[in-house]
Amino acid sequence: MNTYPISRYPVPNLNDLPGDIRARILEVQEKSGFIPNVFLTLAHRPDEFRAFFAYHDALLEKQGGLTKAEREMIVVATSGANQCHYCVIAHGAILRIRAKNPLVADQVAINYRKADITPRQRAMLDFALKVAQESHAINQADFEALHAVAFSDEDIWDIGAIAAFFALSNRMANMIAMRPNDEFHLLGRVPKGA
Amino acid sequence: MNTYPISRYPVPNLNDLPGDIRARILEVQEKSGFIPNVFLTLAHRPDEFRAFFAYHDALLEKQGGLTKAEREMIVVATSGANQCHYCVIAHGAILRIRAKNPLVADQVAINYRKADITPRQRAMLDFALKVAQESHAINQADFEALHAVAFSDEDIWDIGAIAAFFALSNRMANMIAMRPNDEFHLLGRVPKGA
Amino acid sequence: MNTYPISRYPVPNLNDLPGDIRARILEVQEKSGFIPNVFLTLAHRPDEFRAFFAYHDALLEKQGGLTKAEREMIVVATSGANQCHYCVIAHGAILRIRAKNPLVADQVAINYRKADITPRQRAMLDFALKVAQESHAINQADFEALHAVAFSDEDIWDIGAIAAFFALSNRMANMIAMRPNDEFHLLGRVPKGA
Amino acid sequence: MNTYPISRYPVPNLNDLPGDIRARILEVQEKSGFIPNVFLTLAHRPDEFRAFFAYHDALLEKQGGLTKAEREMIVVATSGANQCHYCVIAHGAILRIRAKNPLVADQVAINYRKADITPRQRAMLDFALKVAQESHAINQADFEALHAVAFSDEDIWDIGAIAAFFALSNRMANMIAMRPNDEFHLLGRVPKGA
Amino acid sequence: MNTYPISRYPVPNLNDLPGDIRARILEVQEKSGFIPNVFLTLAHRPDEFRAFFAYHDALLEKQGGLTKAEREMIVVATSGANQCHYCVIAHGAILRIRAKNPLVADQVAINYRKADITPRQRAMLDFALKVAQESHAINQADFEALHAVAFSDEDIWDIGAIAAFFALSNRMANMIAMRPNDEFHLLGRVPKGA
Amino acid sequence: MNTYPISRYPVPNLNDLPGDIRARILEVQEKSGFIPNVFLTLAHRPDEFRAFFAYHDALLEKQGGLTKAEREMIVVATSGANQCHYCVIAHGAILRIRAKNPLVADQVAINYRKADITPRQRAMLDFALKVAQESHAINQADFEALHAVAFSDEDIWDIGAIAAFFALSNRMANMIAMRPNDEFHLLGRVPKGA
């Protein structure tokens, strides 16, 4: 295990955290086998931590017109454009797992236009990148392009809101130099039981 | 009163909203004399609404090394760069009121480099714009430049987190075509009692 | 009244100016109730002053297919893109007055794509911004898009020439740090007699 | 002689022009041996023609801290950045003649950073390009860099004003597709009498 | 094994290739256990294939002031900036192997500024990215920054030439939609014998 | 003859070069009447020299759907975009000679969109510039646009490969500050025998 710092800011000790935050973190650890660094590093600010994960869960864990793998594709594509270590590497792992595809995360992170995805997913990522990079120019034609591949207005809100939320998340991670856990690099690359 | 839509999405009726959200909105209306459109338009998604305003309040309403006017300067400068109608116009009004200065919001929105602000505030906005526009390049020298004008690491987190939060907010407002209330254009431009 | 400098360069005394320039300035003062700073600051160079205002008047004061309010929209939209304090604030005031609309100047300055303007005005500003930002790429299709909304070739010259003239004007104002008069911020925001 | 159009707009017949404009054009023809197309094409709008050339002469023909060759360097460097056929080719010829140097115009048009010019001229062009491309960011340090190589504040105004004037000129030429006279391509490339 | 095409162009059959090219490819296959797609796809043009690999070997296989891992870092960092699937994924694998580090390739591809590399390597990549993205602005100060971390002029040529060669390589791979072999995604991520 | 250096690196003496390189250079000198500096400056690295010219010849000297003049147009247009002195000036001369047109090289270097070229050549240069500047976004529609003006897939490879090769060449020339021979500035501008 390396000893690189995981944040520019102090990282709280689990035992010093408010109960609700500690509980949330222990739950994640139980499920993942390790504590993703985003939990420890953002816990430096408990109120912001709570709002951040409430927002995250509202967008990434919900049911709807997008699969969970598609939601992660949006994260990986926009985080690649924003050059965010944490989000590309951590959510790349989640994308591999949710899509059951060991290749797609690297592809989407580097250049989603050439990834092994459907034309509908390609349209989804075109819009997500527009939200990420030039939201001032979004117009009715963008909505129509998504309607044409059977996304509803509520789906479009989901796509855009995920891109917008990671506009925040990428900037926080870049500002505090959040480091992804080493484990993420390999997760989802090798079939279980292989 | 004009009849332009205030969102691309359905705007909920106040009476149909969950109680906590309705209460929050009525409180704002009581205080401001009108309901800022961000409350009505984001209430279309109650869970996201709650997370959004929890995050907002954690960053904008807190005490600390930045005055409330300075927090609003960050909002206006980065929202100008992101070409967001709602945030420039609504937070421009709040900035005029909090700074008790009828000119500074227009100045900061157009080009903060030439605004009537202190060198310390100028350094604050240089960093906020870097978070908004090229967070991948943030480095130790940026932190040192802010230390040099007496910002603490916690102040820097505040500056960056506000810029990051409005990276989200501007993209949401641009995506749903959120329209600022007409009232904001004039607020804080004329001294009370004038 | 604040005491901020209005230019990086010496500002001539009205009495020391050549007669024609002084006369022009007094005429403006008579009409506006104050002397806009562009007159005093550019008078530092009398020959350039004369050429500047001759050019300005040929484009902004003429009759033709564009209303005076539309001419000012072009100024405000391109000056916003060029981040020019003086031109956004001063011509924003003129736009409010000429359009008899207290909102449109702020809208156009921040993001003309979402302003309360007609599709024809939107096409006009698309072209103006192309002249301002990538004139090398102007082609026949741009002319056809404007013909399609009933602009003549002479109207198109007007649109492009105004954008080109303020390409000059914005750069001069930015170079000399020309400061708008405080009065402009409020002009046209409150109905006369209100 | 080719038959390519020299403007997207009608080109007036010399005999139909107002007397002062015709006189100016005949004077140029007498001196140069041909009529540069900028005169014929801009004469389509007499009032703008007069203002344009009054401004041009005030900046390019004056005495001062910059040589006439240096003034043309500014034109060529900024017009190269703006991808303007007319100004690079026509003023490239004038620069070759005024600098008595057959190479420098091509060098400055392509990449002034590597041209055969003095460090002082290099600083002059750094500033001119900043005026041309990001005038919103001009600050006191830019003025100090020019003072350091012995430019006065009045010289700096000249540099910036020439860059600003050709910001206008390049956009007009690009909009109307102004074509340079074939003669300019060869002028100043071969020593007289060679 | 998936059945996605590996090029927009016909991929030659190994047996139809000129002897020298076939021999080169068989040698690689022997060493790697598979044929990297760059060999098969570029063999569509034998003369260009020979020049490409002669150039490649002259830069990547040579001895000198840069380690082989460092040469691959340059490839991965610049290919990430150019959004090239093939080069990021294939050379990412080679970098992991040569650096004996399963993490560094992902880090360098996403944002080399935050990778686990030495300050000297950081300076090397700063220069490589400048060659990749704004070579027109390279100047003496860039050379001095590299001398300061003990790179010789010949080392600097190596750094720049590798960045320049992959400027070519990335563009070819993007144009022909060259697909990396699936094997590369996992290579070097798990310690041998693990 | 001026005495400016032709490279940041040592320039080898012709007599010290390997025989094959010396022979190639003498052949060029015989044909051109002088030694283009690209030969002397790149000979500093014999292996890279051989690969460079093998690649160059495979792309520029071949027969096919593009004329030799068209191949040079691609070089000049992309080298202009990359601000490369050597390639714009040296290949501008070759373009003038091959196209038997003294004007087209200057036009293409400054703004190919307005050059005296055919619509088919315009489409060719649109693609070449896309390869040069945003190859990550190349897609099937780009190929179809070229098919529509009767370019075959093999022609498209040629166009893209020339743009890609000069992406390399421009970066090398910019890095080593390669200076074009003075002779190139005038070549092809005056009809032979004039």
Side-chain angles (χ1 to χ4, degrees):
Chain A
M1 186 60 59
N2 67 60
T3 57
Y4 291 101
I6 65 171
S7 171
R8 280 202 175 94
Y9 282 83
V11 178
N13 189 303
L14 204 52
N15 295 325
D16 300 337
L17 287 171
D20 62 319
I21 294 180
R22 189 169 57 242
R24 166 83 193 238
I25 292 179
L26 291 173
E27 180 189 9
V28 173
Q29 186 178 31
E30 175 72 20
K31 189 173 159 192
S32 309
F34 63 97
I35 304 174
N37 291 336
V38 66
F39 290 93
L40 292 174
T41 56
L42 291 189
H44 176 60
R45 292 271 184 112
D47 287 345
E48 297 169 40
F49 176 104
R50 292 183 187 102
F52 182 93
F53 286 104
Y55 219 136
H56 174 278
D57 294 353
L59 293 169
L60 278 291
E61 302 299 334
K62 74 179 293 214
Q63 303 297 323
L66 307 178
T67 66
K68 285 193 175 180
E70 286 168 343
R71 292 172 199 271
E72 295 297 328
M73 275 182 204
I74 297 167
V75 179
V76 172
T78 59
S79 300
N82 289 330
Q83 302 186 42
C84 177
H85 269 190
Y86 189 88
C87 298
V88 172
I89 292 169
H91 287 272
I94 303 173
L95 171 53
R96 284 189 295 271
I97 291 168
R98 296 200 163 169
K100 299 185 201 314
N101 178 332
L103 307 183
V104 72
D106 293 342
Q107 294 170 345
V108 165
I110 298 166
N111 187 347
Y112 74 92
R113 297 168 200 80
K114 300 196 176 172
D116 301 336
I117 57 176
T118 65
R120 185 172 183 265
Q121 289 167 339
R122 165 68 195 269
M124 173 186 83
L125 295 180
D126 282 341
F127 184 71
L129 267 287
K130 189 163 184 179
V131 172
Q133 298 187 313
E134 42 168 357
S135 71
H136 62 275
I138 291 171
N139 58 33
Q140 196 53 31
D142 297 313
F143 278 68
E144 287 162 16
L146 291 170
H147 293 160
V149 289
F151 283 114
S152 70
D153 280 343
E154 293 306 314
D155 295 335
I156 298 173
W157 179 301
D158 281 358
I159 298 168
I162 294 170
F165 179 73
F166 280 86
L168 178 160
S169 181
N170 294 166
R171 282 162 178 78
M172 287 303 299
N174 275 334
M175 179 179 71
I176 72 171
M178 191 189 294
R179 182 185 174 89
N181 307 58
D182 293 0
E183 289 88 340
F184 284 123
H185 289 263
L186 196 57
L187 273 178
R189 292 192 181 275
V190 187
K192 286 200 177 178
Chain B
M1 186 60 59
N2 67 59
T3 57
Y4 291 102
I6 66 172
S7 171
R8 280 202 175 95
Y9 283 83
V11 178
N13 189 302
L14 204 53
N15 295 325
D16 299 337
L17 288 171
D20 61 319
I21 293 180
R22 190 170 56 242
R24 167 81 193 240
I25 292 179
L26 291 173
E27 180 189 10
V28 173
Q29 187 179 29
E30 174 72 21
K31 188 172 160 194
S32 309
F34 63 98
I35 303 174
N37 291 337
V38 66
F39 289 93
L40 291 174
T41 56
L42 291 189
H44 176 61
R45 293 272 185 111
D47 286 347
E48 298 169 39
F49 176 104
R50 291 182 187 101
F52 182 92
F53 286 104
Y55 219 136
H56 174 279
D57 294 353
L59 293 170
L60 278 292
E61 302 299 334
K62 74 180 292 214
Q63 303 297 323
L66 307 177
T67 65
K68 286 192 174 178
E70 285 167 344
R71 292 171 200 270
E72 296 296 329
M73 274 182 204
I74 296 167
V75 179
V76 173
T78 59
S79 300
N82 289 329
Q83 303 186 42
C84 177
H85 270 190
Y86 189 88
C87 299
V88 172
I89 292 170
H91 286 272
I94 303 174
L95 171 53
R96 285 190 294 271
I97 291 167
R98 295 199 164 171
K100 299 187 200 312
N101 178 332
L103 307 183
V104 71
D106 293 342
Q107 294 170 344
V108 165
I110 299 167
N111 187 347
Y112 74 91
R113 297 168 200 80
K114 300 196 175 172
D116 300 336
I117 57 177
T118 65
R120 186 171 181 267
Q121 289 167 339
R122 165 68 195 268
M124 173 186 81
L125 294 180
D126 283 341
F127 184 71
L129 267 285
K130 189 163 185 179
V131 172
Q133 298 187 312
E134 42 167 358
S135 71
H136 62 275
I138 292 172
N139 58 35
Q140 196 52 32
D142 297 314
F143 278 70
E144 287 162 15
L146 291 170
H147 293 161
V149 289
F151 284 113
S152 70
D153 279 342
E154 294 305 316
D155 296 335
I156 298 173
W157 179 302
D158 281 358
I159 298 168
I162 295 169
F165 179 74
F166 280 87
L168 177 160
S169 181
N170 294 166
R171 282 162 178 77
M172 287 303 299
N174 275 333
M175 179 179 70
I176 70 171
M178 191 188 295
R179 183 185 174 88
N181 308 58
D182 293 0
E183 289 88 338
F184 284 123
H185 290 264
L186 196 57
L187 273 178
R189 293 192 180 274
V190 188
K192 288 201 177 177
Chain C
M1 188 58 60
N2 67 60
T3 57
Y4 291 102
I6 64 172
S7 170
R8 279 202 177 94
Y9 283 82
V11 178
N13 189 302
L14 203 53
N15 295 325
D16 300 337
L17 287 170
D20 61 319
I21 293 180
R22 189 169 57 242
R24 167 81 193 240
I25 293 178
L26 292 173
E27 180 189 8
V28 173
Q29 187 179 30
E30 175 72 20
K31 189 172 159 193
S32 309
F34 63 96
I35 304 173
N37 290 337
V38 65
F39 290 94
L40 291 174
T41 56
L42 292 189
H44 177 62
R45 292 273 185 110
D47 287 347
E48 297 169 40
F49 176 103
R50 291 183 187 102
F52 182 92
F53 286 104
Y55 219 136
H56 174 278
D57 294 353
L59 293 170
L60 278 291
E61 302 298 334
K62 74 179 293 214
Q63 302 298 323
L66 307 178
T67 65
K68 286 193 174 179
E70 285 168 343
R71 292 171 199 270
E72 295 297 328
M73 275 181 204
I74 297 168
V75 178
V76 172
T78 59
S79 300
N82 289 328
Q83 302 186 43
C84 177
H85 269 189
Y86 189 88
C87 299
V88 172
I89 293 169
H91 286 272
I94 303 173
L95 170 54
R96 284 190 295 272
I97 291 168
R98 294 199 164 170
K100 299 185 202 312
N101 178 332
L103 307 183
V104 71
D106 292 343
Q107 293 170 344
V108 165
I110 298 167
N111 188 348
Y112 74 91
R113 296 168 201 79
K114 301 197 175 170
D116 300 336
I117 57 177
T118 66
R120 184 171 183 266
Q121 289 167 339
R122 166 69 195 269
M124 173 186 83
L125 294 180
D126 282 340
F127 184 71
L129 266 286
K130 189 163 185 180
V131 171
Q133 297 187 314
E134 42 168 356
S135 71
H136 62 275
I138 291 172
N139 59 34
Q140 196 53 32
D142 297 313
F143 279 69
E144 287 162 16
L146 291 170
H147 292 160
V149 288
F151 283 114
S152 70
D153 280 342
E154 294 306 314
D155 295 336
I156 297 173
W157 179 302
D158 282 359
I159 298 167
I162 294 170
F165 179 73
F166 280 86
L168 178 161
S169 180
N170 294 167
R171 283 162 177 78
M172 287 302 299
N174 275 335
M175 179 179 70
I176 72 172
M178 191 188 296
R179 183 186 174 87
N181 308 58
D182 293 359
E183 288 89 340
F184 284 122
H185 290 263
L186 195 56
L187 272 178
R189 294 192 181 274
V190 189
K192 287 201 176 176
Chain D
M1 187 60 59
N2 67 60
T3 57
Y4 290 102
I6 64 172
S7 171
R8 280 202 177 94
Y9 282 83
V11 178
N13 189 302
L14 204 53
N15 295 325
D16 299 337
L17 288 170
D20 62 319
I21 293 180
R22 189 169 57 243
R24 167 81 193 240
I25 292 179
L26 291 173
E27 180 190 9
V28 174
Q29 187 179 30
E30 174 73 21
K31 190 172 160 193
S32 309
F34 62 97
I35 304 174
N37 290 337
V38 66
F39 289 95
L40 292 174
T41 56
L42 292 189
H44 177 61
R45 292 272 185 110
D47 287 347
E48 296 169 41
F49 176 104
R50 291 183 187 103
F52 182 92
F53 286 103
Y55 218 136
H56 173 279
D57 294 352
L59 293 170
L60 277 292
E61 302 299 334
K62 75 180 292 216
Q63 303 298 323
L66 307 178
T67 66
K68 286 193 175 179
E70 285 168 344
R71 292 172 198 269
E72 296 296 329
M73 274 181 205
I74 296 167
V75 179
V76 172
T78 59
S79 300
N82 289 329
Q83 303 186 44
C84 178
H85 270 189
Y86 189 88
C87 298
V88 171
I89 292 170
H91 286 273
I94 304 173
L95 171 53
R96 285 190 293 273
I97 291 168
R98 294 198 165 171
K100 299 187 201 316
N101 179 332
L103 307 183
V104 72
D106 293 342
Q107 294 170 342
V108 165
I110 299 166
N111 187 347
Y112 74 91
R113 295 167 201 79
K114 300 198 176 171
D116 301 335
I117 57 176
T118 65
R120 185 172 183 267
Q121 289 166 340
R122 166 68 195 268
M124 173 185 82
L125 295 180
D126 282 341
F127 184 71
L129 267 286
K130 189 163 185 179
V131 171
Q133 297 187 313
E134 43 168 354
S135 71
H136 61 275
I138 292 171
N139 58 33
Q140 195 54 31
D142 297 313
F143 278 69
E144 286 162 17
L146 291 170
H147 293 160
V149 289
F151 283 113
S152 70
D153 280 342
E154 294 305 315
D155 297 335
I156 297 174
W157 179 302
D158 282 359
I159 298 168
I162 294 169
F165 179 73
F166 280 86
L168 178 160
S169 180
N170 294 167
R171 282 162 177 78
M172 287 303 299
N174 275 333
M175 179 180 70
I176 71 171
M178 191 188 294
R179 183 185 173 88
N181 309 57
D182 293 0
E183 289 89 339
F184 284 123
H185 289 264
L186 196 56
L187 273 179
R189 292 192 181 275
V190 188
K192 288 201 176 177
Chain E
M1 185 59 61
N2 68 60
T3 57
Y4 291 102
I6 64 172
S7 171
R8 280 202 176 94
Y9 282 83
V11 178
N13 189 302
L14 204 53
N15 295 323
D16 300 337
L17 287 171
D20 61 319
I21 293 180
R22 190 170 56 242
R24 167 81 193 241
I25 292 179
L26 291 173
E27 180 189 9
V28 173
Q29 186 178 29
E30 175 72 21
K31 189 173 160 193
S32 308
F34 63 97
I35 304 174
N37 290 338
V38 66
F39 289 94
L40 291 173
T41 56
L42 291 189
H44 176 62
R45 292 272 186 111
D47 286 347
E48 297 170 40
F49 176 103
R50 292 184 187 102
F52 182 92
F53 286 103
Y55 218 135
H56 174 279
D57 294 353
L59 293 170
L60 278 290
E61 302 299 333
K62 74 180 292 215
Q63 303 296 324
L66 307 177
T67 66
K68 286 192 175 180
E70 286 167 344
R71 292 172 199 269
E72 296 296 329
M73 274 181 205
I74 296 167
V75 178
V76 173
T78 59
S79 300
N82 289 329
Q83 302 186 42
C84 177
H85 270 190
Y86 189 88
C87 298
V88 171
I89 292 169
H91 286 272
I94 303 173
L95 171 53
R96 284 190 294 271
I97 291 168
R98 294 199 164 169
K100 298 186 202 312
N101 179 332
L103 308 182
V104 71
D106 293 342
Q107 294 170 344
V108 165
I110 299 166
N111 188 347
Y112 74 92
R113 295 168 201 80
K114 300 197 175 170
D116 301 335
I117 57 176
T118 65
R120 186 172 182 266
Q121 289 166 338
R122 165 69 195 268
M124 173 186 83
L125 295 180
D126 283 341
F127 185 71
L129 267 286
K130 189 163 185 179
V131 172
Q133 298 187 313
E134 44 168 354
S135 71
H136 62 274
I138 292 171
N139 58 33
Q140 196 53 32
D142 297 313
F143 278 69
E144 286 162 16
L146 291 171
H147 293 160
V149 288
F151 285 114
S152 70
D153 279 342
E154 294 305 315
D155 297 334
I156 298 173
W157 180 301
D158 282 358
I159 298 168
I162 294 170
F165 179 74
F166 280 86
L168 177 161
S169 181
N170 294 166
R171 282 162 178 78
M172 286 303 299
N174 275 335
M175 180 179 70
I176 71 171
M178 190 189 296
R179 182 185 174 89
N181 307 59
D182 293 359
E183 289 88 340
F184 284 123
H185 290 263
L186 196 56
L187 273 179
R189 292 192 181 274
V190 188
K192 288 201 176 178
Chain F
M1 188 58 61
N2 68 58
T3 57
Y4 291 101
I6 65 172
S7 171
R8 279 201 176 94
Y9 283 83
V11 178
N13 189 303
L14 204 52
N15 294 325
D16 299 337
L17 287 171
D20 61 320
I21 293 180
R22 188 169 58 242
R24 167 83 193 240
I25 292 179
L26 291 173
E27 181 189 7
V28 174
Q29 186 178 31
E30 176 71 22
K31 189 173 160 193
S32 310
F34 63 98
I35 304 174
N37 291 336
V38 67
F39 290 94
L40 292 174
T41 56
L42 292 189
H44 176 61
R45 292 273 185 110
D47 286 346
E48 297 170 40
F49 176 104
R50 291 183 189 101
F52 182 93
F53 285 104
Y55 219 135
H56 174 278
D57 294 353
L59 293 170
L60 278 290
E61 302 298 334
K62 74 178 294 213
Q63 303 298 323
L66 307 178
T67 66
K68 286 193 174 178
E70 285 168 344
R71 291 171 200 271
E72 296 297 328
M73 276 181 203
I74 296 167
V75 179
V76 172
T78 59
S79 299
N82 289 328
Q83 303 186 42
C84 177
H85 269 189
Y86 189 88
C87 298
V88 172
I89 292 170
H91 286 271
I94 303 173
L95 171 53
R96 286 190 294 270
I97 291 168
R98 294 198 164 170
K100 298 186 201 315
N101 178 332
L103 307 184
V104 71
D106 292 343
Q107 294 170 343
V108 165
I110 299 167
N111 188 347
Y112 74 91
R113 297 168 200 80
K114 300 197 175 170
D116 301 336
I117 58 176
T118 65
R120 186 172 181 265
Q121 290 167 338
R122 166 69 195 269
M124 173 186 82
L125 295 180
D126 283 341
F127 184 71
L129 267 285
K130 189 162 184 179
V131 172
Q133 297 187 314
E134 42 168 357
S135 71
H136 62 275
I138 292 172
N139 58 34
Q140 196 53 32
D142 297 313
F143 278 69
E144 287 161 16
L146 291 170
H147 293 160
V149 289
F151 283 114
S152 70
D153 280 342
E154 293 306 315
D155 296 336
I156 297 173
W157 179 302
D158 281 359
I159 298 168
I162 294 170
F165 180 74
F166 280 85
L168 177 161
S169 181
N170 294 166
R171 282 162 178 78
M172 286 303 299
N174 275 334
M175 178 179 71
I176 72 172
M178 191 189 295
R179 183 185 174 88
N181 308 59
D182 294 0
E183 289 88 339
F184 284 122
H185 290 263
L186 197 56
L187 273 178
R189 293 191 180 275
V190 188
K192 287 203 176 175

